[in-house]
Amino acid sequence: MDFAADYHAPSSSSSSFSSSSSFSSLSSWSADTNPDGTDTPRGATSAVHRALQLIQSDDPDSKLQAAKDIRRLTKTSQRCRRMLADAIKPLVSMLQPDSPGSHHESALLALLNLAVKDEKNKISIVEAGALEPVISFLQMESLNLQEYATASLLTLSASASNKPIIGTSGAIPLLVDVVSCGSTQAKADAILALSNLSTHPNNLNIILETNPIPSIIDLLKTCKKSSKTAEKCCSLIESLVGFDEGRIALTSEEGGVLAVVEVLENGSLQSREHAVGALLTMCQSDRCKYREPILREGVIPGLLELTVQGTSKSQSKAQTLLRLLRETPYPRSELQPDTLENIVCNIISQIDGDDQSNKAKKMLAEMVQVSMEQSLRHLQQRAL
């Protein structure tokens, strides 16, 4: 996952995530103005050459100005990102502890813009030694530097080549800490970075060792269920519950299963697919152990809706989970067909509480109605 260039921190006072803020706010930053017309091809080329000269200078002020210029030039121009690739090593040197503090932010933001949508630059930045100083910024008191560092790791982790390197660099435990204690934007970017990194098998084991479920659930409870943040939280949970430690952590966390069920009901199509996948993985691993904790959170209405309104994968997973949640895991006789309606009716008969049962019955009726309408449309299309 990669994002538009030019990062700006939003107000940290926000208590929840909107669908737009669930993405890194890289695209929301206002850039330096460019009154001299260097955004034209000829002007940009001249400005690029000047920036490359200044970044190689021994004068700290010249290097600082070059970093600001590079950030501006690479905000939207893929061509400038390629032309300014030679600036990566000097910019990384500006991140070192012996560099003036004022250099850190400007150099980091310039590198961030250079990495966006440029695989070669992503790899070059890591090879130039940027990870060590970037990771150190995650532990600094400066919220700005922490946010910039988190956004940088998010962008760099989009490269398949960088994933194992970042995984062994010590960044993962610190990213989990950011999910727990960072600013609103840093939390959102950290969860996306962890999701990127989790697609490498070795990294998933490292993430699991940090006991991330409590932090992920806390974030999932507070974010908007249709947001990208919720989607990536559920994606991580789906991967982590493939391990016994992950399943135990989720059911042990107060409101953990409920948070997943809420996404299953109110999330985006992709989020709901991850949510039902997580619950199905749990039930398939040990039906006797996890059936009751899942049923207790009122999952049936959401599953019913998914069987007709989810993605093809969600529909299949929801139907499989409904079969596992019924009283007996064994097939019914031919006199009692194993239809979705029979499965659901069997589950409804076991639900405690009139409200929950009535809601499930209403959802079943609506599901049947939608199914009939879809079948009718299909027949009409065939008749044309």
Side-chain angles (χ1 to χ4, degrees), residues 32-76:
D32 297 331
T33 57
N34 188 16
D36 59 0
T38 55
D39 56 337
T40 64
R42 181 178 299 177
T45 301
S46 175
V48 164
H49 290 159
R50 178 176 179 273
L52 287 173
Q53 288 179 337
L54 289 177
I55 200 68
Q56 301 286 351
S57 170
D58 293 330
D59 177 49
D61 292 336
S62 296
K63 294 175 78 72
L64 181 60
Q65 183 58 51
K68 293 178 179 179
D69 291 343
I70 291 168
R71 175 193 170 192
R72 171 175 52 79
L73 290 164
T74 54
K75 179 188 175 185
T76 58

Side-chain angles (χ1 to χ4, degrees), residues 287-349:
R287 177 185 176 278
C288 294
K289 183 175 183 179
Y290 295 114
R291 174 180 176 272
E292 187 57 34
I294 293 173
L295 275 176
R296 190 166 53 236
E297 302 301 350
V299 72
I300 300 303
L303 287 177
L304 288 176
E305 186 176 339
L306 273 186
T307 61
V308 291
Q309 294 183 357
T311 65
S312 58
K313 287 184 179 180
S314 294
Q315 291 180 14
S316 176
K317 290 177 180 180
Q319 292 181 22
T320 303
L321 183 54
L322 283 167
R323 291 186 177 93
L324 288 171
L325 291 176
R326 73 181 185 186
E327 184 175 17
T328 172
Y330 303 107
R332 292 175 174 268
S333 70
E334 292 181 2
L335 296 177
Q336 291 179 301
D338 194 18
T339 63
L340 184 58
E341 288 83 359
N342 280 337
I343 293 170
V344 174
C345 288
N346 175 267
I347 297 172
I348 291 172
S349 67

Side-chain angles (χ1 to χ4, degrees), residues 163-178:
K163 291 179 182 184
I165 302 172
I166 296 174
T168 57
S169 69
I172 286 176
L174 295 174
L175 285 170
V176 173
D177 288 342
V178 172

